Amino acid sequence: MARLSDDNTRLANEIIGRYPRARSALIPLLHVAQAQDGHVSDAAMEHIAELVGTTPSEVLSTCSFYEMFKRSPGGTYRLNICRGISCHLAGADDVIAHASESLGVPVGGTTPDGTVTLEAVECVAACTEAPCLQVNYRYVGGVATEDFDRLVAELRDGEHPDVPPHGTVSTVRQRIPPGRSAGVSLPEGQGPPPWWERHQGSGDALPAPAPAPADGMIVTARRHQPDAHTLEGYLRTGGYEGLRRALAAAPAAVHEEVRAASLLGRGGAGFPAGVKWGFCPPDVWPRYLVVNGDESEPGTYKDRLLMERDPHQLIEGCLIACYALGLSQCFLYVRGEMALAAERIAGALNEAYAAGYVGSDICGSDFGTDIVLHTGAGAYIVGEETALIESLEGNRGMPRLKPPYFPAAIGLYGRPTIVNNVETLANLPWIVTHGAAAFVGRGAEQSAGTRVFAVSGHVRTPGVFEVPFGTTTFREIICDERYGGGIRDGRDLKAFIPGGASAPWFTEEHLDLPLDKATVDAAGSMLGSGAIVVMDSTTDIPRACHNLVRFFARESCGKCTPCREGTSWLEVILERILAGRGRPGDLDLLSDVCDNISPGLAWPPRMTTICPLGPSAASPIVSGLRDFREEFEAYLPRRIPVAAAPLAS
Amino acid sequence: MSETPVRITVDGVEIAAAAGQLLIDACEQAGTYIPRFCYHPRMRPVGMCRMCLVDVDTGRGPALAPSCMLEVRDGMVVETASDAARKAQDGVLEFLLVNHPLDCPVCDKGGECPLQDQTMAYGPGESRFVEEKRHFDKPLAISELVYLDRERCILCDRCTRFADEVAGEPLIGFQGRGYHTEVNTFPDRPFDSYFSGNTVQICPVGALTARPYRFRARPWDLTETTSTYPNATGDRVSVHASRNRLLRIQGVDSEAVNHGWLADRDRFSFEAVHSPERLTEPLLRKDAELSPAPWSAALAAAGDALQAALGRGGPSSVAVLGGARLCSEDQYAWAKLAKGVIGTDNVDAQLGDGLPAELVCALPRATIAAACRPGGTVLTLAGDLREEFGSLFLRLRTAVGSGDVALVEMAPLAGSLTALARHSLRVRPGDADMIAEAILDPPHGAAIAGIATDELRAAAALFADGPLTVLVGRTSVAESATTTAHAALRLARAFPHARFLPLLRRGAAAGAIDAGLVPGLLPGRTTRQGAGAWYGAAWGGVPEHPGADAAGILVAAAAGRIDVLVLLGADPLADFPDRELARRALERVGTVIAVDVFGTASVGCADVVLPAVTFGERSGTHVNIEGRATAVTRQVTPPVQCRRDWEIAAELALLLGSDLRIASPTDAWTELTDLSPLHAGASWDGVRADLDGLLLPVAGDGNGTGGGNGTSGAPPGMVTLEDVRLPGAPVVPFDRYSYRLVADRSLYDRGTVVANCPSLASFARPARLRLNPRDFERLGCRPDDLLRVTSPAGAVSVAASADDRVPPAVAALAVNSGGADPGELIDIDAAVCEVRVEPPIP
């Protein structure tokens, strides 16, 4: 229960120094406080308020929004058992029940010896290894009940010295060496970055494209290379080649190449990145890049893989984007629960700064920009781009209304800001190296390149697969031996979610649709974040629905009334139905509550809310009631007409 | 906002709206009210509650949009009651009620609750939500004034936005997330804000309630009237009473004045009206004791004393101090009695804590709205606005905070706006005029008196460029007003485009000056020389000799030259800066006649005490620091024996053989508008026709020129800058062994109003001597150490604290705090107050 120590105060000031506004360091500083004490004490919040120049009330307001920050002490190890949809389908509820029984504490409780705090958490992006859990944010996949008991015994016996006590997330910190920083870009800065003007009007084109490798992989090409996350390993396999090529050309030529590649955003909405880039108003400076690495959509597991295994590829993508658009500072926002990703990126950045790939005078040129690693603290909504910006400004992650707050026009600190997904940016080195034409050649006409899909749920071989975009079909990626390998145990398919928890469900009849944006949109769903969750014939649909709705209710930010009140209302209605306490009109009530959040229950959804989270909660209910209404009805109590009841004898 | 209007269609009717206007406002102006909970016109829209969703077609087909976030565009087609809009609004209402408790019968908001009203009008007959509602402990005292009921809260962000954006005190905020979101404070850090009552007023449900009003009345039992709170800005208020008791004051959104905001002291001060400490009957000194007496006896005693004084020492042996809390009608009646009937010019509504009246009249006058208008510069030559001018502080803070107005500060201490100021010039006591001169003509060298010359040049450039408003007041009563006055005069001459707002803290001091209740002047900002004949003809006489201001009156009294001193709600023993002089004066005066509401220290020295009415009990007109006349409305009946101040003046006049011809406030106001060139054209009804009242002079341009429509002859001319005669401003060399004293103010002091409000009295705390942290350390102080502070005038012992808002070599001590009294250190004749601070004895 203390203020930050002298060392941590120095660290805090170093972190604050990386941001244009001290308040932006709020979440990183709360992590520092939690690493110090294992939880965030009131005294630490008061100290942080002094450091960033606000009131303790404001600090608490931000702190209490994020799941990872705990205001009271817990066990040395937090066992966070995932109950996301993929883990739910793999029996997470049984694991949680077992854990609670074997530890002798309820969910949320701490064992008397102070070793373990048990938590049930939302999807942690390990869906292909379900059921999974995290020990202080370190992954353990495929956890059966006996594995759980063994893990607890090992923790108690001190057999996991590599897992730091609760509070420390990343064990590697970003350090920007003195003299290597390109400088903090203040929002009130007047003009473009100093190097920008010198690169204008040169008209230099990109060098002739290098021949594209044959194996078809773009962003996961290094997935089997154990040292791909090191600078040496990355350079050995063509790393930073794209950046060097970009620096040889005019920024406009790089932007044009990306536009020509028809690179659709890989975060969920699928908007063409090159077009989004063009929305920056021409004469407003500075401009920022914000990398969306807050992957949290249940069923989604791809950005984490790209950040953990190939961090330099992402860094190179960021630098290419900064160069193309004159972005003067980059903030790389990584989901808080992804400790390894943060460690790998911090390590990669430290190496890249030292070797002259990030910071000032990049690759010996006059181009320079800082990349600041920023870790979140547990809030799904922060994956929404305006909420991400709010969070990066040190606030509660509550979305802003678009218009007027389109980030490209009014973004971070009110300045033009490009928000791109990790996978989107990871494509850039390849595009610049091998050319837009080769990229377009990899996919379908409107869905160029490749996409990374996580196939989870009831398939034989769940996994993360990079496949040609727009040409592969759902049947292939679910059933082909190279990918999902078919439904487990030879069962039948009941339904599948084509693009993450927010997407309306598909069934058997949709299997032959290609993984193409336009086609899937037209069929009434979306490819979203590349998360395909398969449900076989044994799936209890109302329970799966409840699982997804509960997720949205837990993750609603609370800003808009319909979402805040509506999602939790949907949850309690489903709860009573599952408990056998359903009421006669409940299914219609579910529909009508959904309708009040998402009028007309249309696709794409209309909204009475600011962002699509509320309407997303309607997707599973609308899908479930449309295709499996009888399963819901079966849960409703049977009403036996009085006259037909046999008289007691 | 562009000047070209745009045309939009609302529910099939084409209407005009200002470009850039929000749809919700445009519709309301056109008569279509869109329901809302989170939207508040004086705060940034957030679009959270979703109640104001309407169907909007901008050419791509109708879609639901929050009308509070949408700016009107030409050709926009809006349906506020389409099936889709209705369904969405009904849905939102149902969602809000899902977790809202059904405690309307015991809720203070019941009967005036937007959520209740909406539900009654459009809501479903029964709830489809059958589960247990969300529970919180309730109510939670988030401060000593405000209670929070989190179950009723609909999370509209109004209170939290107000605290953060308007007041700049984010002490309450959202905590938790989603369904578990709540408004709360940080543990053990209450919502201690001077402006907390505003959050109660803007709460759209009964989540926030104010302690003074909780469970006191139901809205339908209240009578309500629009009035003016008698503070310097003349905040427009709505006064609520039931069964002849004031129960509540709420701010009214006047575009010109307060935008609906009030400081808590003003909002809750109505408690004093019903205080058991009120003076409710006349008192006469008998055998050294004040005893109750009938009005006839008390008035006769006063009349006899006045007659005797006139006979013995002539008119100049009578003096009148105070009157700054009265309505213009009372002030005029007393000015007429003193100057026209008695014939003395020894009259001052200010108590040595204001500005020279001639200067106030001569400086071209600004308005609050002009000061806050985007694109301008505001210079403050004043203390911390937050402590004395609440609503002006909030408005200026909003304007400066949004970057629309550039702020330059000249003050000895840093204050609440310092962080937002473009330039903050730390001016040592006594240096104001020197720095003003340096701004106009920057000296060679890097700095003067600790202020960088670059900063002075930058300030000068801002002043020269675009509209300039100077807020001129007193940073400290330990420093003569002369230096500030010289600085203001210098700036007025150098920048003819500058406009001035005199920050006279006493409620209606500006109105008192305008009514002639100050030395040297006659009603309507006219001079005794220039308008003497005019008023002499109308009144039957004017003073023959020039009179003295409060300081001069007290000096004369102490020298035995004042026989009768009338105190019009004035308490020089507490409020005059020089304590010793006030004491000597009151001891020496033959007869003290006190007209007051409470038994103050000075009333205790009186020989005749006449109980007066107060706010809420009188009707009349208030004139604020802009010169804006607004209506003051009576809402409750005063205690039986309390009389109006104008009435007392009229009675005393009769005893002196004159008839003031004033039998009502309307009589007084009408005579004032007939005679005074400033008030001309501002009819009683005209003042009441608009929420913003009338800016005086009605026919003028607001900068001191106006016409009169007097009954006969030419109207007298008004004071100009050429008429202003100020004593020389001595430059006092800096003594490096001394500290210069700043005697400043805090909102809650031991003034009679605060002291007699049970809800506020505990906020006044004995002041500490605030020192720069380095001086504090250099003196070897620890918190709570008692220091001995001495000046040539006296000495006090006081606990000290380190305060980084105080510059080195300055010592700050608040006046009238109930603790150590800076008045003991101040000599009214000294330009500055130099004090020695002795280190604590180990």
Side-chain angles (χ1 to χ4, degrees):
Chain A
M1 295 297 280
R3 292 162 63 87
L4 297 184
S5 66
D6 289 349
D7 281 349
N8 281 333
T9 305
R10 269 191 294 280
L11 174 62
N13 283 316
E14 181 188 330
I15 293 171
I16 289 169
R18 290 176 200 158
Y19 294 92
R21 292 275 186 270
R23 171 90 185 232
S24 280
L26 199 47
I27 291 172
L29 297 198
L30 288 164
H31 276 304
V32 171
Q34 184 146 290
Q36 173 180 293
D37 297 330
H39 68 286
V40 182
S41 70
D42 288 354
M45 279 191 277
E46 291 178 327
H47 192 186
I48 290 170
E50 291 166 25
L51 291 170
V52 304
T54 184
T55 58
S57 168
E58 293 272 279
V59 176
L60 175 55
S61 188
T62 295
C63 173
S64 61
F65 187 84
Y66 296 93
E67 204 64 43
M68 288 172 72
F69 294 131
K70 308 296 176 189
R71 290 186 56 204
S72 52
T76 312
Y77 300 103
R78 278 189 192 262
L79 292 186
N80 291 354
I81 303 179
C82 177
R83 60 176 186 190
I85 183 66
S86 305
C87 290
H88 167 81
L89 293 172
D93 290 353
D94 295 338
V95 179
I96 293 167
H98 169 79
S100 177
E101 196 186 321
S102 85
L103 292 173
V105 295
V107 170
T110 302
T111 55
D113 67 352
T115 315
V116 171
T117 299
L118 176 66
E119 298 270 18
V121 299
E122 305 303 340
C123 183
V124 291
C127 315
T128 61
E129 291 140 53
C132 71
L133 60 77
Q134 288 190 320
V135 185
N136 290 353
Y137 306 106
R138 271 76 188 159
Y139 287 94
V140 181
V143 187
T145 50
E146 57 276 17
D147 302 327
F148 179 84
D149 293 343
R150 195 170 51 245
L151 173 68
V152 171
E154 287 169 5
L155 288 170
R156 284 189 163 135
D157 293 345
E159 288 176 36
H160 289 277
D162 50 317
V163 178
H166 180 258
T168 299
V169 185
S170 172
T171 55
V172 182
R173 284 208 173 275
Q174 181 182 10
R175 297 283 181 183
I176 300 179
R180 288 289 310 129
S181 169
V184 169
S185 177
L186 295 177
E188 43 285 298
Q190 298 296 312
W195 51 269
W196 176 254
E197 293 298 342
R198 289 196 291 278
H199 290 257
Q200 295 303 301
S202 73
D204 292 338
L206 281 167
D215 78 339
M217 299 298 171
I218 292 179
V219 292
T220 65
R222 295 184 189 84
R223 65 189 296 186
H224 298 304
Q225 183 191 333
D227 66 346
H229 62 278
T230 64
L231 183 61
E232 190 198 339
Y234 187 62
L235 290 171
R236 197 173 60 239
T237 48
Y240 291 108
E241 176 61 22
L243 174 63
R244 288 184 191 282
R245 285 170 171 264
L247 291 178
V254 180
H255 185 175
E256 188 47 43
E257 197 70 16
V258 175
R259 203 194 310 265
S262 305
L263 173 65
L264 300 187
R266 300 319 200 217
F271 195 80
V275 178
K276 192 181 198 178
W277 286 10
F279 291 157
C280 281
D283 296 319
V284 185
W285 304 95
R287 301 167 173 174
Y288 298 108
L289 176 64
V290 174
V291 184
N292 190 342
D294 194 60
E295 180 174 63
S296 324
E297 179 82 10
T300 312
Y301 168 26
K302 55 160 185 102
D303 294 340
R304 174 162 80 85
L305 183 115
L306 297 176
M307 292 189 284
E308 289 176 354
R309 310 252 181 120
D310 206 344
H312 283 286
Q313 174 176 256
L314 172 61
I315 291 167
E316 188 180 352
C318 295
L319 295 170
I320 291 170
C322 289
Y323 179 73
L325 296 170
L327 311 176
S328 48
Q329 200 173 1
C330 168
F331 300 92
L332 208 165
Y333 193 116
V334 178
R335 181 172 173 189
E337 291 93 334
M338 296 177 176
L340 180 60
E343 286 169 355
R344 288 279 168 86
I345 291 173
L349 281 171
N350 290 348
E351 278 192 288
Y353 264 102
Y357 287 102
V358 188
S360 59
D361 311 323
I362 291 174
C363 296
S365 75
D366 58 353
F367 167 64
T369 187
D370 274 352
I371 297 178
V372 177
L373 172 62
H374 185 101
T375 50
Y380 163 73
I381 189 57
V382 167
E384 196 278 336
E385 59 180 2
T386 59
L388 185 73
I389 288 171
E390 283 285 338
S391 182
L392 192 50
E393 291 181 1
N395 301 326
R396 301 161 62 80
M398 291 158 81
R400 303 170 176 174
L401 190 74
K402 300 187 282 191
Y405 295 104
F406 283 109
I410 312 173
L412 187 63
Y413 315 122
R415 313 309 292 177
T417 302
I418 295 298
V419 183
N420 279 151
N421 166 260
V422 165
E423 186 189 346
T424 312
L425 290 163
N427 274 288
L428 297 181
W430 198 98
I431 291 172
V432 173
T433 306
H434 302 293
F439 189 78
V440 171
R442 290 286 161 113
E445 196 184 337
Q446 302 214 336
S447 299
T450 60
R451 266 204 79 166
V452 184
F453 289 94
V455 181
S456 66
H458 297 150
V459 288
R460 280 182 42 236
T461 51
V464 183
F465 310 110
E466 180 174 3
V467 298
F469 196 6
T471 55
T472 312
T473 65
F474 284 109
R475 190 180 297 282
E476 280 177 85
I477 205 163
I478 293 172
C479 300
D480 193 289
E481 292 300 324
R482 288 174 297 164
Y483 309 125
I487 312 298
R488 64 167 189 186
D489 303 335
R491 292 206 179 89
D492 291 334
L493 173 72
K494 197 171 206 176
F496 63 97
I497 308 175
S502 307
W505 301 357
F506 278 171
T507 52
E508 186 83 33
E509 60 176 298
H510 299 100
L511 274 178
D512 291 312
L513 294 178
L515 293 163
D516 170 72
K517 175 175 160 52
T519 311
V520 174
D521 285 354
S525 190
M526 63 173 175
L527 282 179
S529 51
I532 297 169
V533 182
V534 177
M535 294 179 266
D536 73 9
S537 52
T538 63
T539 309
D540 184 325
I541 293 293
R543 285 200 186 278
C545 249
H546 171 258
N547 177 277
L548 290 165
V549 169
R550 181 182 62 193
F551 167 77
F552 290 111
R554 290 293 179 281
E555 296 297 339
S556 169
C557 79
K559 185 171 186 178
C560 303
T561 309
C563 176
R564 180 184 70 238
E565 304 294 341
T567 54
S568 44
W569 191 7
L570 290 172
E571 184 192 340
V572 296
I573 298 170
L574 281 166
E575 246 162 40
R576 72 172 178 241
I577 291 174
L578 292 177
R581 291 183 285 105
R583 300 172 148 224
D586 271 357
L587 302 191
D588 294 336
L589 179 59
L590 281 175
S591 285
D592 196 51
V593 173
C594 287
D595 188 81
N596 283 338
I597 305 172
S598 182
L601 303 176
W603 189 262
R606 291 201 286 266
M607 324 192 278
T608 56
T609 51
I610 288 174
C611 87
L613 188 146
S616 293
S619 284
I621 292 178
V622 172
S623 301
L625 287 176
R626 182 190 60 206
D627 295 328
F628 306 99
R629 191 177 177 96
E630 66 289 349
E631 288 195 36
F632 289 85
E633 281 167 348
Y635 268 105
L636 296 178
R638 258 169 242 274
R639 279 166 298 160
I640 301 167
V642 174
L647 291 169
S649 56
Chain B
M1 222 179 260
S2 154
E3 297 302 314
T4 349
V6 297
R7 319 263 338 154
I8 63 171
T9 307
V10 176
D11 297 336
V13 181
E14 196 179 276
I15 62 165
Q21 196 175 21
L22 292 172
L23 180 58
I24 196 169
D25 290 336
C27 288
E28 189 170 1
Q29 252 171 37
T32 303
Y33 182 86
I34 300 171
R36 81 284 306 257
F37 294 109
C38 68
Y39 177 66
H40 188 281
R42 296 298 181 190
M43 295 190 289
R44 181 176 56 91
V46 284
M48 286 179 75
C49 75
R50 316 305 288 172
M51 193 64 203
C52 71
L53 287 171
V54 291
D55 240 338
V56 181
D57 189 344
T58 50
R60 288 183 292 180
L64 290 171
S67 54
C68 72
M69 293 287 285
L70 202 60
E71 291 182 2
V72 291
R73 298 256 173 75
D74 220 17
M76 198 178 248
V77 178
V78 183
E79 293 289 340
T80 67
S82 66
D83 288 348
R86 228 349 117 58
K87 172 101 169 79
Q89 292 174 5
D90 287 352
V92 171
L93 197 58
E94 183 180 33
F95 285 136
L96 287 172
L97 294 170
V98 158
N99 277 299
H100 191 81
L102 295 171
D103 61 354
C104 303
V106 294
C107 176
D108 269 339
K109 199 79 174 181
E112 56 179 9
C113 171
L115 182 61
Q116 190 183 41
D117 294 347
Q118 285 291 320
T119 308
M120 292 296 284
Y122 304 110
E126 58 187 83
S127 175
R128 298 194 289 179
F129 184 83
V130 295
E131 264 75 16
E132 188 74 8
K133 291 178 188 257
R134 186 166 43 215
H135 285 300
F136 287 109
D137 288 341
K138 60 191 256 183
L140 213 61
I142 56 172
S143 74
E144 288 183 52
L145 286 172
V146 179
Y147 285 87
L148 167 65
D149 182 326
R150 291 166 294 174
E151 292 182 350
R152 292 176 187 160
C153 175
I154 58 168
L155 303 170
C156 70
D157 200 22
R158 278 188 178 190
C159 58
T160 43
R161 252 182 301 162
F162 174 84
D164 183 14
E165 289 174 19
V166 182
E169 300 167 312
L171 302 172
I172 47 174
F174 286 140
Q175 293 174 13
R177 185 174 76 198
Y179 179 85
H180 300 284
T181 311
E182 57 174 297
V183 170
N184 211 330
T185 60
F186 192 82
D188 304 321
R189 297 255 187 151
F191 180 39
D192 282 339
S193 164
Y194 284 174
F195 306 104
S196 64
N198 294 295
T199 64
V200 175
Q201 183 173 334
I202 61 179
C203 179
V205 292
L208 292 171
T209 45
R211 197 172 70 164
Y213 179 70
R214 278 170 67 82
F215 306 123
R216 298 288 296 280
R218 306 302 314 198
W220 50 86
D221 290 329
L222 295 173
T223 54
E224 186 183 336
T225 183
T226 302
S227 186
T228 304
Y229 189 80
N231 59 12
T233 41
D235 294 338
R236 299 309 323 264
V237 292
S238 176
V239 185
H240 301 228
S242 177
R243 284 177 285 175
N244 206 39
R245 281 185 81 84
L246 298 183
L247 291 175
R248 177 167 79 171
I249 295 180
Q250 296 200 317
V252 170
D253 192 339
S254 154
E255 176 65 34
V257 184
N258 56 323
H259 283 188
W261 308 134
L262 288 177
D264 286 355
R265 184 192 59 187
D266 301 344
R267 181 182 299 272
F268 299 117
S269 64
F270 66 86
E271 288 182 343
V273 174
H274 304 296
S275 163
E277 303 299 316
R278 274 284 293 273
L279 290 173
T280 53
E281 55 194 344
L283 305 173
L284 265 179
R285 189 167 296 280
K286 254 187 274 170
D287 310 325
E289 286 289 310
L290 277 173
S291 322
W295 264 98
S296 53
L299 280 172
D304 291 348
L306 286 167
Q307 289 281 20
L310 286 171
R312 217 172 22 243
S316 295
S317 66
V318 177
V320 179
L321 270 184
R325 63 170 174 77
L326 308 181
C327 289
S328 285
E329 292 80 357
D330 304 303
Q331 291 163 342
Y332 175 73
W334 272 95
K336 190 175 177 182
L337 170 65
K339 299 195 172 181
V341 177
I342 297 170
T344 177
D345 196 39
N346 287 330
V347 173
D348 199 354
Q350 306 193 82
L351 282 182
D353 53 359
L355 293 167
E358 278 179 7
L359 178 74
V360 170
C361 293
L363 290 171
R365 200 70 72 93
T367 61
I368 293 168
C372 300
R373 197 168 292 145
T377 299
V378 167
L379 165 67
T380 58
L381 265 170
D384 194 339
L385 262 54
R386 182 169 165 270
E387 304 292 343
E388 300 181 65
F389 304 90
S391 67
L392 175 61
F393 165 75
L394 293 180
R395 285 196 58 175
L396 192 62
R397 194 191 168 278
T398 304
V400 174
S402 61
D404 294 339
V405 168
L407 176 69
V408 181
E409 279 188 339
M410 281 175 65
L413 309 179
S416 307
L417 289 171
T418 300
L420 298 174
R422 195 76 64 85
H423 302 287
S424 200
L425 312 181
R426 276 301 135 265
V427 178
R428 293 179 308 200
D431 284 357
D433 188 42
M434 179 174 81
I435 299 302
E437 188 181 7
I439 286 174
L440 299 174
D441 183 15
H444 299 292
I448 174 168
I451 299 170
T453 31
D454 285 350
E455 191 125 37
L456 297 175
R457 285 202 180 85
L462 269 177
F463 295 166
D465 177 35
L468 170 64
T469 307
V470 183
L471 307 187
V472 53
R474 294 288 292 277
T475 55
S476 159
V477 293
E479 162 185 8
S480 150
T482 311
T483 47
T484 309
H486 274 288
L489 199 56
R490 191 184 290 282
L491 292 167
R493 291 188 172 130
F495 299 108
H497 67 287
R499 295 290 175 271
F500 293 77
L501 211 47
L503 297 187
L504 307 174
R505 57 174 295 276
R506 299 195 166 271
I513 293 174
D514 291 349
L517 204 61
V518 282
L521 296 180
L522 289 164
R525 304 181 194 163
T526 58
T527 58
R528 201 175 53 87
Q529 299 93 326
W534 173 265
Y535 284 102
W539 287 352
V542 284
E544 284 173 32
H545 306 291
D549 64 4
I553 290 169
L554 293 176
V555 167
R561 298 198 300 273
I562 300 291
D563 270 352
V564 173
L565 177 64
V566 182
L567 299 176
L568 283 179
D571 182 8
L573 286 181
D575 290 337
F576 187 74
D578 182 337
R579 196 67 56 248
E580 177 60 21
L581 175 59
R583 266 195 301 261
R584 282 192 285 122
L586 262 69
E587 273 165 21
R588 214 38 217 285
V589 164
T591 305
V592 175
I593 303 170
V595 182
D596 213 320
V597 180
F598 287 102
T600 64
S602 302
V603 166
C605 300
D607 304 288
V608 182
V609 180
L610 306 174
V613 303
T614 187
F615 174 74
E617 298 169 345
R618 60 176 166 230
S619 287
T621 308
H622 180 83
V623 173
N624 77 353
I625 53 174
E626 303 171 289
R628 182 177 302 282
T630 51
V632 176
T633 315
R634 171 175 154 151
Q635 177 65 311
V636 292
T637 312
V640 190
Q641 296 225 50
C642 295
R643 293 199 183 171
R644 288 283 321 245
D645 296 81
W646 62 262
E647 203 178 342
I648 296 169
E651 298 267 12
L652 288 174
L654 284 177
L655 290 175
L656 297 176
S658 288
D659 183 358
L660 289 187
R661 295 185 309 278
I662 294 173
S664 71
T666 333
D667 287 349
W669 183 259
T670 305
E671 186 172 313
L672 183 58
T673 56
D674 280 345
L675 292 175
S676 153
L678 178 75
H679 299 81
S683 71
W684 178 268
D685 291 339
V687 166
R688 282 148 187 81
D690 192 292
L691 192 60
D692 290 346
L694 283 176
L695 191 63
L696 306 177
V698 177
D701 59 1
N703 61 1
T705 56
N709 64 345
T711 46
S712 63
M718 291 162 66
V719 186
T720 65
L721 285 174
E722 283 68 44
D723 297 323
V724 179
R725 299 280 174 273
L726 295 173
V731 174
V732 186
F734 216 69
D735 171 0
R736 54 203 302 261
Y737 296 102
S738 293
Y739 291 81
R740 279 200 184 168
L741 182 69
V742 170
D744 60 352
R745 299 199 172 270
S746 62
L747 183 74
Y748 297 114
D749 59 14
R750 297 303 298 173
T752 49
V753 171
V754 171
N756 287 291
C757 292
S759 300
L760 303 179
S762 68
F763 299 148
R765 304 265 158 76
R768 285 162 179 267
L769 186 77
R770 286 123 59 212
L771 294 168
N772 183 272
R774 272 187 298 172
D775 289 337
F776 187 78
E777 204 176 300
R778 203 161 48 87
L779 286 163
C781 281
R782 283 157 310 158
D784 298 325
D785 276 349
L786 276 183
L787 299 184
R788 181 119 182 114
V789 183
T790 48
S791 78
V796 296
S797 286
V798 58
S801 65
D803 186 342
D804 55 15
R805 288 171 299 183
V806 180
V810 167
L813 184 59
V815 302
N816 207 9
S817 70
D821 180 4
E824 301 290 358
L825 302 169
I826 296 169
D827 173 358
I828 199 71
D829 288 328
V832 293
C833 180
E834 307 257 29
V835 294
R836 300 277 169 147
V837 180
E838 292 167 43
I841 298 146

